[in-house]
Amino acid sequence: MRFEFAWPSALHKSGVLGMNKRNIDYIGRYNPRKFYKRVDDKLTTKQLALANNIAVPSLIGVVREQHEIETIPAMVNDKDGFVIKPSKGSGGKGILVITKVEAGRYYKPNGQEVNHSEIYRHVSNVLSGLFSLGGAPDVAIVEGLIQFDPVFDGYSYEGVPDIRLIVYKGFPVMGMLRLSTAASDGKANLHQGAVGVGVDIGTGKGLHAVQFDRPIELHPDTNKKLIDIQVPQWDFLLNTASKAYEMTEMGYLGTDMVLDKIKGPLLLELNARPGLAIQIANGRGILPYLNHVDSLGNHNMTVGERVEYAKKHFSYSAKL
Amino acid sequence: MHSKKPFYILVALLFIAGIATSVFRGVEHKVPFLPGKQVQSWAVDAKVSFQGTGGPAEVSFSLPNDPAFEVLVENASSPGYGLTISQDKQGRRALWSVRSAKGLQNLYYKVTLIPTGTTEVIASGVPATPQIYIWPATEKEAAEQIIDKVWAKSATNITFAQQLNKALNASDRSQNVELLLSNNTPIQLFLHMLHNKGVPAKEVSGLFLEDQRRRQQLTSFVEVYNDGKWVLFNPADGTQGRSDDVLLWDRSGTSTLDVTGGVNSQVNFSMLQDTRSALATSLDLMRNQGALDFSLYQLPLEEQSLFKGILLIPVGVLMVVFLRVIVGLKTSGTFMPVLIALAFIQTTLLTGLIGFILIVACGLMIRSYLSQLNLLLISRISAVIIVVIGIIGVFTLLSYKFGLSEGLTITFFPMIILAWTIERMSILWEEEGPKEVVIQGGGSLFVATLAYLAMSASWAQHWVFNFLGIHLVILALVLLMGQYTGYRLFELRRFKPLAGE
């Protein structure tokens, strides 16, 4: 393996945002500590989203105490599948996906059976705070399974593709589609080997794709050409993401959404510390966009106006 | 966005204060900047002896008074005698006294001296103009001829003294000089001639230091006043200035030893050269000067050694901040590597690494059984802690049985840290597979090793304890790095595809 390093000046020229600058100049400055709960606690996010007319995956139930774990089978016995996730988890940790419920037996997406005691143990771990930041006690959310839209068939392997948008001061500035692969074990986390496809803010069309931070052209499992992808209901997604700004009052936000074939776009979760791989997926730095938004100063644009502005100025073809 | 100015001023102040106090420590208190530095010291014994006449006796003995040497320890042994050490304008003197002294009396004074490196003798004030010496009629003319001749060739007091010294020691001395030297010692003659022209000068006595010499006597020198300083001359051999091996014992210009109530008094010196730790020496000096108040050196030794460990943590923390913020390495748990590195200091690196890997590996195996029991997290962690203690116990016993003394140090690992590491690694194993365990565990051990190397460097250990100002510098660096918005080293690689052509 060869180690190649870029000159800092070259990265600076390309407008690449680094981790330290992200932490100090964006997260530290525009994401007030007191609002973190709205983002870090998925249950709170869900309740806020519902209050703001933003669609989210259905809530089957919440498990707050150890003894309530026994009620899970009753909650899910009429469902096709379900997801158990820690409310304060991060980075996709502690998410258990059951795609098939059959006569009281549960199966993971890869067909492996999960028995009751494993579910019990998993939820118990969640409640103890094993997956939450700083090990704080947590609650487990039981959510309905997302029936993901067949438009992404062939682009994703064994998992739900999700759409990540970076929303800066209410403007969607950069987007990416995250597709799971065999390497990522059905997960959509880029560091685990999922594919990231940069998406044009103006049109929702694929621009550029990466896996493990290196450019690729074809999906490694299905061999479909990645930049041919077109995300449907793009305007709706942009609007939902943009609304999250008013909802959370966070200036620098990552929104994760999925497309459900019946319910349409759903807000999956929000992230106050979105990663920087989206720049690699898009093949360019994010700083010029952030600076453009800063240059607008105080504006009074509505959600719709912001989305229109972003589509016009932040699309790939537009000149900044 | 508020101004960054106060922040940078604060950082600059911390930096300056840290450096300044450290330099002060080094220069003023002579704490060595490098560990393990040795200094030469001289142990000089003076033995005063006289024959008591049976009545009360008083012995006044001048004590060393030389800016080129600092007194580290001094003590006097004189059974039956009362002892006072007095300090007056002329210098320090020891005064022994006894009601009745008969027969041979021996009094001992012992001193340990450290060279200070300053050989200049600064005068405490302008000395009075000396009384003009009246020459005996037989010498008057000869002396005046020489003085006039030398005076004509000189410009200042010091050049006069130099020329005079030269004239008295010339290989082809004039008749006049020979005549005068037959009636006077060179010291006397030199002094008289200087006094004749009103140049302040006095006789002092010094000791030539030489390792393992016994029964040495004081040598006479002459100090000539010039421009606020006393310059040393040795009229006996015509040299000027002083060499490092001369210790000025008595600069009072009066007698070195006064004995009343005794006869045949004399003083002998013996000396020994020694090397001792520069740090211990500076501590002793600070103790003498009362400069140890409110410092860590005052603490009992046990607490001192505790602090030696605690004060290393900032170095490890600085290392972790650097590796995370500037380099971009990931560590599992922010400061876990520092704690592991602290344990490494006790166990040494290789033993520590092997011990750590052994314990974590055994712990993981036992943890995999615990995971099947569906325990609550709290009880599972507690069980892991107890098991870790058991593993450590077994390893310690085994290494004792096999005679591996290194294995005994395994007890220095912080058990709670080990238990959490095992728990995290176990979850990681279940969720991401063994590869990730090796990567993350290896990364943590790598950072811990680097932190250990930084913390175990002998100069680091020396500096963090002896120059507390260094912690202000570390604080300033940590604060500065907390403001660093540039790219991390690993990001230069990660974002390489974005760098453009």
Side-chain angles (χ1 to χ4, degrees):
Chain A
M1 191 159 66
R2 270 186 71 195
F3 286 91
E4 285 190 329
F5 292 90
W7 287 103
S9 56
L11 291 186
H12 187 77
K13 209 169 143 237
S14 307
V16 177
L17 178 63
M19 196 64 91
N20 293 327
K21 193 173 171 63
R22 180 201 74 166
N23 291 344
I24 293 173
D25 287 349
Y26 294 96
I27 295 176
R29 194 172 299 161
Y30 296 112
N31 291 353
R33 215 51 247 187
K34 58 180 172 178
F35 299 143
Y36 265 64
K37 193 178 187 297
R38 298 175 179 179
V39 174
D40 283 346
D41 187 337
K42 291 188 183 67
L43 195 56
T44 312
T45 310
K46 219 177 193 36
Q47 287 156 351
L48 264 179
L50 289 172
N52 284 274
N53 291 318
I54 296 172
V56 289
S58 64
L59 181 63
I60 296 175
V62 180
V63 179
R64 296 171 200 277
E65 309 281 346
Q66 293 286 341
H67 65 86
E68 290 173 0
I69 301 174
E70 315 288 354
T71 64
I72 292 177
M75 275 184 211
V76 299
N77 67 6
D78 59 337
K79 303 285 189 292
D80 299 330
F82 61 94
V83 178
I84 297 177
K85 53 168 80 164
S87 186
K88 296 175 193 161
S90 68
K93 282 211 174 72
I95 297 180
L96 179 68
V97 182
I98 301 296
T99 44
K100 204 162 83 177
V101 179
E102 217 175 57
R105 298 172 77 170
Y106 309 120
Y107 298 92
K108 288 211 270 195
N110 58 11
Q112 199 187 325
E113 190 183 340
V114 181
N115 59 33
H116 276 100
S117 76
E118 276 175 69
I119 289 191
Y120 189 95
R121 180 159 58 89
H122 184 81
V123 178
S124 173
N125 280 342
V126 169
L127 297 184
S128 306
L130 189 60
F131 306 107
S132 66
L133 287 165
D138 203 355
V139 300
I141 303 175
V142 186
E143 269 182 356
L145 198 66
I146 292 147
Q147 306 290 320
F148 60 92
D149 200 309
V151 291
F152 293 126
D153 277 357
Y155 285 109
S156 197
Y157 180 84
E158 277 191 351
V160 185
D162 76 1
I163 299 126
R164 155 70 58 96
L165 284 164
I166 300 289
V167 181
Y168 184 53
K169 294 181 178 172
F171 292 90
V173 289
M174 209 173 239
M176 152 172 86
L177 199 59
R178 295 190 296 191
L179 308 168
S180 48
T181 61
S184 77
D185 194 23
K187 291 182 177 118
N189 288 317
L190 294 195
H191 73 269
Q192 289 167 331
V195 170
V197 183
V199 178
D200 185 8
I201 285 287
T203 59
K205 273 180 79 82
L207 290 172
H208 190 258
V210 290
Q211 187 186 27
F212 288 119
D213 288 346
R214 289 291 174 261
I216 55 166
E217 274 190 21
L218 306 173
H219 190 284
D221 305 316
T222 62
N223 282 330
K224 279 196 95 168
K225 200 164 184 224
L226 289 163
I227 58 167
D228 288 345
I229 212 163
Q230 164 71 51
V231 181
Q233 307 197 54
W234 185 242
D235 280 14
F236 193 94
L237 286 166
L238 290 179
N239 268 286
T240 308
S242 187
K243 270 189 219 166
Y245 173 57
E246 269 88 1
M247 179 178 118
T248 58
E249 299 176 66
M250 294 280 216
Y252 186 79
L253 201 60
T255 62
D256 292 345
M257 286 170 290
V258 286
L259 288 175
D260 189 283
K261 73 178 166 198
I262 301 150
K263 297 182 192 162
L266 303 176
L267 180 66
L268 204 57
E269 63 176 80
L270 297 172
N271 204 322
R273 309 166 197 81
L276 299 172
I278 194 167
Q279 301 180 104
I280 305 172
N282 275 268
R284 45 205 168 135
I286 199 173
L287 274 175
Y289 301 92
L290 303 180
N291 292 336
H292 185 101
V293 172
D294 281 333
S295 72
L296 294 176
N298 281 328
H299 55 80
N300 278 318
M301 291 191 215
T302 62
V303 171
E305 283 167 347
R306 288 202 304 260
V307 168
E308 282 313 307
Y309 191 91
K311 282 174 72 179
K312 193 168 158 212
H313 291 91
F314 302 150
S315 79
Y316 186 66
S317 48
K319 275 252 181 312
L320 272 174
Chain B
M1 175 193 169
H2 46 246
S3 165
K4 289 265 182 71
K5 223 179 197 167
F7 171 77
Y8 285 117
I9 292 174
L10 171 73
V11 168
L13 282 180
L14 284 174
F15 205 79
I16 293 166
I19 295 285
T21 50
S22 302
V23 170
F24 178 78
R25 254 290 144 91
V27 173
E28 181 64 27
H29 291 154
K30 303 207 176 54
V31 176
F33 288 112
L34 290 173
K37 206 182 150 205
Q38 302 278 317
V39 288
Q40 303 286 314
S41 70
W42 286 96
V44 181
D45 280 13
K47 177 181 164 193
V48 176
S49 49
F50 64 96
Q51 289 287 338
T53 51
E58 236 179 43
V59 177
S60 168
F61 179 57
S62 77
L63 299 183
N65 176 23
D66 187 347
F69 290 90
E70 195 150 1
V71 175
L72 192 60
V73 197
E74 61 179 354
N75 47 57
S77 82
S78 40
Y81 278 78
L83 172 69
T84 336
I85 290 184
S86 66
Q87 168 97 43
D88 62 12
K89 223 168 78 186
Q90 308 286 346
R92 290 177 341 120
R93 293 189 83 87
L95 191 74
W96 283 282
S97 51
V98 74
R99 261 307 150 191
S100 149
K102 192 163 173 58
L104 179 66
Q105 306 287 313
N106 282 324
L107 302 172
Y108 294 93
Y109 170 77
K110 197 179 178 128
V111 64
T112 306
L113 296 156
I114 305 295
T116 57
T118 35
T119 48
E120 277 191 341
V121 181
I122 310 286
S124 55
V126 182
T129 314
Q131 284 197 326
I132 291 179
Y133 177 73
I134 310 293
W135 296 96
T138 50
E139 297 172 3
K140 192 164 186 283
E141 205 163 325
E144 277 173 357
Q145 273 184 23
I146 300 170
I147 294 170
D148 289 343
K149 209 167 140 195
V150 172
W151 185 257
K153 286 195 284 185
S154 68
T156 56
N157 286 358
I158 196 76
T159 46
F160 177 58
Q162 281 164 357
Q163 294 298 326
L164 206 54
N165 201 13
K166 218 162 104 184
L168 295 184
N169 283 284
S171 51
D172 49 340
R173 286 185 284 219
S174 64
Q175 291 283 317
N176 286 337
V177 176
E178 294 291 358
L179 168 76
L180 291 169
L181 279 176
S182 63
N183 291 337
N184 298 283
T185 64
I187 305 280
Q188 281 169 344
L189 189 60
F190 189 60
L191 274 173
H192 293 164
M193 287 178 153
L194 286 168
H195 287 170
N196 210 269
K197 281 292 180 186
V199 178
K202 61 182 180 184
E203 184 180 347
V204 298
S205 49
L207 199 60
F208 282 102
L209 295 172
E210 206 180 330
D211 194 18
Q212 295 178 11
R213 293 308 294 265
R214 302 175 60 223
R215 305 188 70 80
Q216 296 296 295
Q217 301 292 324
L218 290 172
T219 311
S220 285
F221 297 90
V222 171
E223 270 187 348
V224 178
Y225 176 78
N226 182 60
D227 261 355
K229 285 175 202 152
W230 289 102
V231 182
L232 197 69
F233 285 88
N234 188 353
D237 61 3
T239 57
Q240 182 199 335
R242 58 183 300 184
S243 53
D244 289 341
D245 61 347
V246 172
L247 162 69
L248 292 183
W249 191 275
D250 178 20
R251 295 186 49 246
S252 64
T254 58
S255 65
T256 304
L257 180 65
D258 285 324
V259 178
T260 51
V263 291
N264 290 336
S265 65
Q266 59 167 327
V267 56
N268 279 310
F269 297 88
S270 52
M271 54 210 106
L272 204 61
Q273 192 183 27
D274 199 7
T275 53
R276 66 202 309 271
S277 144
L279 180 60
T281 306
S282 66
L283 288 184
D284 287 340
L285 286 177
M286 274 195 264
R287 192 166 289 125
N288 286 353
Q289 296 158 1
L292 275 189
D293 290 344
F294 208 76
S295 82
L296 289 178
Y297 303 117
Q298 271 192 320
L299 295 173
L301 278 182
E302 196 180 337
E303 275 71 20
Q304 281 198 31
S305 69
L306 185 71
F307 260 99
K308 276 182 184 161
I310 290 175
L311 289 174
L312 278 175
I313 294 179
V315 176
V317 167
L318 179 72
M319 196 71 199
V320 170
V321 172
F322 176 78
L323 289 174
R324 287 177 65 121
V325 173
I326 309 291
V327 178
L329 275 180
K330 286 195 182 90
T331 60
S332 78
T334 315
F335 292 116
M336 189 188 92
V338 179
L339 296 174
I340 294 179
L342 269 182
F344 283 171
I345 288 181
Q346 310 285 337
T347 60
T348 72
L349 186 59
L350 193 64
T351 323
L353 280 174
I354 293 172
F356 186 87
I357 291 169
L358 274 179
I359 294 174
V360 171
C362 288
L364 278 176
M365 283 191 273
I366 289 160
R367 165 67 178 72
S368 77
Y369 167 72
L370 287 176
S371 80
Q372 294 167 11
L373 296 181
N374 278 340
L375 297 174
L376 290 180
L377 178 68
I378 300 286
S379 9
R380 195 169 62 220
I381 294 266
S382 312
V384 172
I385 292 175
I386 296 166
V387 167
V388 164
I389 294 173
I391 296 171
I392 289 178
V394 168
F395 279 143
T396 312
L397 271 177
L398 279 179
S399 51
Y400 178 72
K401 286 280 176 206
F402 290 118
L404 297 167
S405 58
E406 294 88 4
L408 299 177
T409 57
I410 218 165
T411 45
F412 286 109
F413 276 112
M415 277 153 226
I416 309 290
I417 296 287
L418 281 174
W420 264 114
T421 306
I422 290 168
E423 181 64 23
R424 277 173 195 276
M425 294 291 171
S426 162
I427 298 291
L428 204 63
W429 194 305
E430 282 176 17
E431 296 217 326
E432 319 247 340
K435 192 179 152 210
E436 199 65 19
V437 171
V438 173
I439 290 174
Q440 287 207 14
S444 288
L445 281 185
F446 177 70
V447 174
T449 305
L450 288 184
Y452 162 79
L453 290 177
M455 288 156 81
S456 64
S458 60
W459 57 268
Q461 301 198 336
H462 176 75
W463 272 71
V464 294
F465 189 72
N466 296 304
F467 297 90
L468 293 177
I470 206 71
H471 295 282
L472 295 181
V473 176
I474 293 179
L475 180 61
L477 287 176
V478 166
L479 289 177
L480 263 191
M481 282 198 271
Q483 288 279 318
Y484 173 71
T485 56
Y487 299 107
R488 298 173 178 177
L489 187 62
F490 279 16
E491 284 178 337
L492 298 181
R493 192 172 105 77
R494 182 184 181 201
F495 292 132
K496 172 77 178 163
L498 300 182
E501 277 75 50

